[in-house]
Amino acid sequence: MSLERYRRKRDFARTPEPPGASGEALALGRAPAPGRRFVVQRHRARRLHYDLRLEIDGVLVSWAVPRGPTLDPSARRMAVHVEDHPLEYFDFEGTIPGGQYGAGDAIVWDWGTFEPEVPGDPGAAVRAGELKFRLHGVKLTGRFTIVHTGRGPGGSRDREGNWLLVKKRDEAAVPGWDPEANPRSVKTGRTND
Ligand code: MN
């Protein structure tokens, strides 16, 4: 996994988003964490979406979820795999100026840790097209699955293209739960406004 696509899309002289350290520096600088982190940013860009990011292999593996994650187990939320983001993006909250990639505002809508349901290699699970995991967040808890459903550009079977994010039926499930009814940042208490 590489940050090349992430960096190519952005002008770091103009956007407050972090460029990210080199993968080597991150690997040396980070002690193995007891929990793997996740974050969901509510990103009001040209179109509102929520960005789900899981800390895997030294980057934030990322999906854009237009309608946002939910605790409702009957909802199947479309998710588009997007470029890996640097770990420094984990608590990014702010305004991306007009004309820049992703222009708009983002808040840290939820954060916490995730546990792969199958111990081992979550990066390999993502590459294989299905990851089952448990979230320990402020708003999002319990079991989820994210699964690749569509072909990528040109019909490729790589991890690009459409995925589905589904809440499993468990003690944390809440029928009808609406992410838009829980709009505040867990970092600062701010809304996107
Ligand atoms: Mn986004």
Side-chain angles (χ1 to χ4, degrees), residues 10 41 43-45 49-51 53 64 82 85 89 101-102:
R10 291 169 175 80
Q41 276 135 340
H43 183 186
R44 200 166 50 172
H49 59 276
Y50 291 68
D51 290 298
R53 311 188 196 282
V82 297
H85 280 48
Y89 213 96
Y101 182 74

Side-chain angles (χ1 to χ4, degrees), residues 4-192:
E4 188 194 331
R5 288 180 57 209
Y6 172 85
R7 293 193 180 108
R8 213 166 45 219
K9 289 169 185 273
R10 291 169 175 80
D11 175 357
F12 295 105
R14 315 253 339 250
T15 181
E17 299 166 290
S22 73
E24 294 77 4
L26 287 173
L28 289 172
R30 282 189 58 78
R36 295 172 170 277
R37 292 180 298 170
F38 86 92
V39 64
V40 177
Q41 276 135 340
R42 185 177 186 274
H43 183 186
R44 200 166 50 172
R46 194 161 52 84
R47 281 193 172 162
L48 170 68
H49 59 276
Y50 291 68
D51 290 298
L52 167 66
R53 311 188 196 282
L54 304 176
E55 179 181 2
I56 296 175
D57 299 337
V59 294
L60 297 173
V61 177
S62 299
W63 291 265
V65 185
R67 296 183 62 201
T70 177
L71 297 175
D72 184 343
S74 70
R76 297 156 70 79
R77 290 293 162 86
M78 199 262 282
V80 178
H81 208 301
V82 297
E83 75 275 19
D84 296 337
H85 280 48
L87 293 182
E88 289 86 343
Y89 213 96
F90 181 76
D91 65 348
F92 174 75
E93 186 168 295
T95 301
I96 303 167
Q100 298 302 297
Y101 182 74
D105 44 65
I107 60 162
V108 177
W109 181 82
D110 198 15
W111 61 11
T113 59
F114 82 97
E115 271 177 78
E117 290 228 347
V118 180
D121 187 346
V126 170
R127 288 189 293 276
E130 183 171 20
L131 177 66
K132 297 178 177 179
F133 56 99
R134 185 177 288 270
L135 293 182
H136 306 279
V138 178
K139 298 171 184 174
L140 300 176
T141 57
R143 294 167 53 226
F144 292 79
T145 299
I146 193 157
V147 59
H148 191 201
T149 60
R151 300 292 174 91
S156 66
R157 291 187 62 111
D158 64 17
R159 64 194 176 116
E160 304 305 321
N162 291 338
W163 295 57
L164 282 177
L165 176 65
V166 181
K167 175 77 192 78
K168 306 301 279 188
R169 293 179 192 279
D170 62 12
E171 66 289 346
V174 181
W177 195 90
D178 179 6
E180 290 290 289
N182 297 273
R184 287 189 183 278
S185 165
V186 293
K187 178 182 176 182
T188 61
R190 297 190 293 185
T191 62
N192 283 76

